[in-house]
Amino acid sequence: MSKIAIVTDSNSGITQTEGARRGIHVLPMPFMIDEVTYYEDIDLTQEQFYEKLKSGANIATSQPSPDSVTSLWDKLLQEYDEIVHIPMSSGLSGSCQSAMAFAADYDGRVQVVNNQRISVTQRQSALDALQLAAAGKDAAQIKEFLENDKFNSSIYIMLDTLYYLKKGGRITPAAAAIGTMLRLKPVLTIQGEKLDAFAKARTTSQGKTMMINAIKKDINERFGGMTEDKHIWLQIAYTHDRAAAEQFRTEVEAEFPGYDIHIDPLSLSVACHIGPGALALACCKKITV
């Protein structure tokens, strides 16, 4: 049986510490902040990031450098037979396509997974890859499985502010002004390649209800229903406000009794575009090997 290394990036929410504990290798994502390069969870913590964001610093995301990717792979291939590399969604970054181009030089020993996930759903893909490797799948089989499984997940994100979408040019200033005046809480979704609009809530409470109902609908219509075997992973993600996420967990638990619910901060690569105060609810169908 091949010895397989599982690699993902810090967009998954897996920290360097958790990755080391679980046996997952985490590539830190780079950020340019006022023309200085930082690396997530290496020399840029969540708190430092939000302090810089609040101060109005100029923050830009970047792909990992070619050398940082291939150096990690070269090091791992001294110990492992193959690598499964799970980057963030190809629809949100060019890092997936870049990794695929780099992998062409590795004679099939590096398999790059394009399953279009981010944050807590990307994290679950890395955990699923560990399970598949333990079951004896080789790297190519794991890649095929995860890509076939990509639509067995959903994520909905409620924003607290439109300021950062406007700043990044993702909505017009006029639309942001109207939304702010009306105190709208836009709910976005990631299913497939893009971050898309889903609904507009007038209150935080309404937005949370919309996300819960959307996940219920997906489970019932796409994932086989809310069965006794609890065959769905539920996840909550947030930007900056852990207390709000814990309160949301209490509300989600009441709607999904008996389900385990994992909480993680949203990827900083997403957070820099949507700002603090966001809440997300996600689900992934459990795999069977």
Side-chain angles (χ1 to χ4, degrees):
M1 186 171 71
S2 295
K3 189 176 182 183
I4 298 173
I6 307 302
V7 177
T8 189
D9 58 48
S10 56
N11 285 303
S12 65
I14 300 175
T15 63
Q16 297 294 325
T17 300
E18 182 187 4
R21 176 171 57 84
R22 291 185 177 275
I24 296 171
H25 306 274
V26 182
L27 186 69
M29 295 298 291
F31 290 81
M32 289 294 295
I33 303 178
D34 290 336
E35 300 184 1
V36 177
T37 302
Y38 296 85
Y39 293 90
E40 185 170 3
D41 199 35
I42 301 294
D43 55 7
L44 181 66
T45 67
Q46 288 269 328
E47 286 303 318
Q48 289 168 334
F49 171 84
Y50 286 109
E51 286 173 8
K52 292 179 183 296
L53 192 68
K54 185 178 180 181
S55 72
N58 183 25
I59 300 178
T61 57
S62 178
Q63 296 183 38
S65 70
D67 182 66
S68 67
V69 177
T70 57
S71 293
L72 176 60
W73 291 352
D74 292 342
K75 179 181 177 181
L76 290 174
L77 288 173
Q78 294 176 20
E79 179 183 354
Y80 294 88
D81 300 310
E82 297 180 300
I83 293 171
V84 174
H85 184 94
I86 308 169
M88 70 184 291
S89 170
S90 61
L92 300 174
S93 169
S95 58
C96 182
Q97 287 90 340
S98 295
M100 287 180 167
F102 306 152
D105 294 330
Y106 283 80
D107 297 323
R109 296 185 69 193
V110 178
Q111 298 289 328
V112 178
V113 177
N114 183 15
N115 69 338
Q116 297 168 345
R117 293 192 183 186
I118 186 69
S119 184
V120 286
T121 58
Q122 182 184 351
R123 173 185 183 272
Q124 190 56 53
S125 289
L127 297 179
D128 290 347
L130 280 180
Q131 183 180 341
L132 292 164
K137 303 288 187 185
D138 64 27
Q141 290 171 324
I142 295 172
K143 168 186 166 74
E144 181 181 18
F145 187 104
L146 294 180
E147 290 183 349
N148 288 338
D149 189 59
K150 66 184 177 182
F151 291 120
N152 286 328
S153 70
S154 294
I155 183 167
Y156 298 90
I157 306 170
M158 177 178 63
L159 276 56
D160 185 56
T161 175
L162 294 168
Y163 171 79
Y164 296 94
L165 283 179
K166 181 187 76 171
K167 185 178 179 182
R170 283 164 173 79
I171 59 172
T172 65
I178 291 170
T180 301
M181 182 176 64
L182 297 176
R183 297 185 179 180
L184 294 178
K185 305 286 185 183
V187 178
L188 311 178
T189 184
I190 302 174
Q191 292 186 37
E193 292 189 354
K194 299 294 184 181
L195 183 67
D196 290 323
F198 176 73
K200 295 184 181 71
R202 293 195 175 275
T203 64
T204 298
S205 177
Q206 185 184 42
K208 290 192 284 189
T209 298
M210 285 177 172
M211 291 192 292
I212 288 171
N213 289 340
I215 290 291
K216 282 184 177 180
K217 182 178 180 182
D218 287 342
I219 291 174
N220 287 325
E221 295 184 3
R222 295 169 52 206
F223 306 143
M226 294 174 62
T227 56
E228 290 185 6
D229 64 358
K230 307 293 189 292
H231 67 295
I232 301 294
W233 300 113
L234 290 177
Q235 301 110 343
I236 290 171
Y238 65 96
T239 56
H240 198 46
D241 193 342
R242 177 81 186 197
E246 294 288 357
Q247 174 58 41
F248 189 32
R249 191 217 303 253
T250 301
E251 297 169 39
V252 173
E253 285 174 338
E255 297 292 334
F256 298 89
Y259 284 76
D260 290 328
I261 303 170
H262 176 78
I263 297 183
D264 255 345
L266 263 168
S267 153
L268 295 184
S269 292
V270 176
C272 69
H273 298 303
I274 64 176
L279 278 174
L281 182 60
C283 70
C284 299
K285 190 174 180 180
K286 294 181 181 179
I287 66 169
T288 55
V289 180

